[in-house]
Amino acid sequence: MTTTQAAPLHMGKAAVRALGILALATGALESVVTPTLPLLRRELQMSHAEGALLSIVLLVTGALLTPVAGKLGDRYGGKQVLVRLMAVVCAGGLVSALAPNLPVLLLGQILQGAMVGALPLSFILVREHLPEGESKVAIGVVSGLFVGGTVAGTLSAGPVAEGLSRHWMFALPTLAVIGATVLVNRLMPHDPPRRSDGAGIDWPGLGLLSGTLVTLMLVLALAPDLAARPLMLAVLLAVLAAFATGWTAVERRAAAPMVDLRMLGCPEVWKSCVLTFMICVGTSVAVYLVPALFALSADAYGFGASATRIGLFLLPGAVAASLAGPLSGFGVRRFGSRAVVTAGVFIMAVGLLGLAAVHTEAWHLVVGKALIALANGLCVTAMVTSTATSVDRGDTGIATGLVLVTRVIGFAVGVQFSGAILTAGTPAGSDLPAESAFVAGFVLAGAVTVLSLLVVRTLSKGARI
């Protein structure tokens, strides 16, 4: 292997702002499908199975491409790969905006999935051009703006789709992504390739990872119906086990694996992955259940809120999520990562268990959701920051990519788990889930969050700068 290292160029504040704007725009584009899925199902005449496929296809492709993008960024330079990746995302956004039917929209979402790889590439650039103390804060800012973008997309997608059309809810954030990509290309210093080992893409590993993730998402999406069809469940689980086993074997033997599983041998990396998964499961349960509670009829135990009112109710959570990233970056810098994660886990447990206990007033849900959004941002940003700064600079993309893939999988598991809980809690012949189903979902998510403290206790305190 030949490694080249040029003298680093300092990244200016304008370049950091450009990365932040890009994170905000991609976060918004990522999140527009979930709150508008009923509208999309109605306009495109989709079945529930097709709707489930639409809701997870971006996650599948994103989880697949994240480690690929991270490794290519480590090998060839973050800016070069980031700009090309965002060109694919912009093409996907425009395809989604112009889609006349479901197959074309699915193609657009597949292309948009490349956006998930933007974060680890941003972290590569930040670490390449900033001192360690400043890089921690910058990573926190970028991560926080991405989270804020996802919430902003969730809030605005419904009103835009209803006031204009479903086409504009994809077009507007796509235009923002295009503008932000141009800014990054102009303002970001070039980072030369730092790895040149002559190895090509690990296509066998990539194919087996694709099969693993696709099968996993199918199991999660079809879980509520598979209980009545145990044979199909057994077949899917067997296929999932075969893909996962084959992928692990191939990656262990590959000379240049796309996902270096040896990285999981680093305690900071595997602990960050486990914690990120558990935290994102708890967060996604609230993301799914709280809007559902708002939307339920006021004649039952809900609030009968419209899409616009739900967006207003979720606004405090959006603000909290946007602030959590920078706060986490400063907290890690001042107190260490373990202290920040501990505080975040405690806040999230209070929010989830509090929602299980009291949810009869709208402000109960508003406060609980805001606490959970704040806690998620604190924990995930601290985990990513800790991981990014605990490995060699050349491994930043690979390590943070593993954590971000775990984030996607944890979110998907939590959402599908929530849907299964409500399905199981809905009496035959009724469309109204029992209130106990919501309580059970919040309690179980709170329990998972509390259990994560067992892993938090084993974390190192992290460097204070």
Side-chain angles (χ1 to χ4, degrees):
M1 177 187 299
T2 301
T3 303
T4 60
Q5 184 69 51
L9 298 174
H10 188 79
M11 179 189 297
K13 292 182 179 180
V16 176
R17 292 192 190 102
L19 284 177
I21 294 170
L22 182 62
L24 185 69
T26 54
L29 183 58
E30 181 191 53
S31 59
V32 298
V33 167
T34 300
T36 58
L37 189 56
L39 180 147
L40 292 172
R41 285 186 56 240
R42 182 173 64 252
E43 290 197 2
L44 298 177
Q45 299 180 341
M46 289 188 287
S47 66
H48 284 286
E50 290 170 335
L53 177 62
L54 179 63
S55 67
I56 65 173
V57 67
L58 187 148
L59 294 178
V60 172
T61 55
L64 174 64
L65 289 177
T66 293
V68 176
K71 179 148 188 174
L72 292 176
D74 280 334
R75 184 178 298 172
Y76 301 115
K79 177 180 177 179
Q80 178 181 348
V81 178
L82 176 61
V83 171
R84 285 161 174 73
L85 192 69
M86 297 317 298
V88 176
V89 174
C90 294
L94 294 176
V95 170
S96 296
L98 298 173
N101 52 42
L102 178 60
V104 178
L105 182 55
L106 285 173
L107 173 61
Q109 291 298 291
I110 290 172
L111 294 174
Q112 282 181 221
M115 73 177 66
V116 185
L119 277 181
L121 290 172
S122 298
F123 300 150
I124 291 172
L125 292 169
V126 166
R127 288 200 72 194
E128 182 72 17
H129 300 297
L130 290 178
E132 184 173 357
E134 294 181 28
S135 71
K136 287 187 176 183
V137 176
I139 288 173
V141 169
V142 172
S143 298
L145 286 172
F146 179 81
V147 173
T150 62
V151 180
T154 301
L155 294 173
S156 62
V160 170
E162 293 173 351
L164 298 175
S165 72
R166 62 177 173 86
H167 304 286
W168 281 105
M169 76 180 189
F170 293 108
L172 292 177
T174 299
L175 294 175
V177 172
I178 292 173
T181 302
V182 171
L183 286 177
V184 169
N185 189 47
R186 291 186 60 184
L187 299 174
M188 185 64 57
H190 287 282
D191 52 327
R194 287 174 287 114
R195 293 185 176 187
S196 180
D197 54 14
I201 299 297
D202 176 24
W203 293 114
L206 190 59
L208 289 168
L209 178 58
S210 301
T212 302
L213 291 174
V214 169
T215 308
L216 173 61
M217 294 303 173
L218 283 175
V219 170
L220 294 173
L222 301 175
D225 298 324
L226 288 176
R229 292 180 283 180
L231 180 59
M232 180 179 292
L233 175 61
V235 170
L236 282 176
L237 290 176
V239 172
L240 176 60
F243 272 127
T245 302
W247 175 63
T248 302
V250 166
E251 294 301 89
R252 286 180 179 275
R253 297 175 183 174
M258 186 53 64
V259 179
D260 191 350
L261 296 179
R262 291 172 298 180
M263 187 69 66
L264 290 175
C266 174
E268 291 298 326
V269 175
W270 73 257
K271 290 175 185 177
S272 292
C273 288
V274 171
L275 277 171
T276 299
F277 176 83
M278 299 177 79
I279 291 299
C280 287
V281 167
T283 302
S284 58
V285 168
V287 167
Y288 188 92
L289 295 184
V290 169
L293 261 176
F294 277 131
L296 281 176
S297 172
D299 294 332
Y301 52 88
F303 302 90
S306 65
T308 301
R309 286 189 65 203
I310 290 174
L312 292 174
F313 286 143
L314 296 179
L315 183 59
V319 174
S322 300
L323 294 176
L327 286 175
S328 183
F330 284 113
V332 170
R333 190 178 180 184
R334 176 65 177 86
F335 303 107
S337 57
R338 188 172 71 182
V340 174
V341 176
T342 301
V345 168
F346 177 78
I347 293 171
M348 180 170 290
V350 169
L352 287 166
L353 297 178
L355 286 175
V358 288
H359 47 263
T360 55
E361 300 290 340
W363 70 266
H364 295 161
L365 302 183
V366 170
V367 172
K369 182 64 175 64
L371 289 175
I372 293 164
L374 174 65
N376 176 74
L378 290 174
C379 292
V380 174
T381 302
M383 287 296 91
V384 172
T385 303
S386 175
T387 302
T389 54
S390 66
V391 299
D392 293 337
R393 288 183 182 270
D395 292 325
T396 301
I398 300 173
T400 55
L402 285 170
V403 175
L404 292 169
V405 168
T406 305
R407 166 189 170 267
V408 171
I409 295 174
F411 190 88
V413 169
V415 167
Q416 296 300 332
F417 164 78
S418 301
I421 285 281
L422 294 188
T423 299
T426 302
S430 172
D431 294 329
L432 181 67
E435 185 176 1
S436 59
F438 286 92
V439 174
F442 289 130
V443 168
L444 290 174
V448 170
T449 302
V450 171
L451 286 175
S452 69
L453 286 172
L454 297 176
V455 183
V456 175
R457 292 183 60 188
T458 68
L459 292 176
S460 61
K461 293 183 178 180
R464 301 182 187 181
I465 300 174

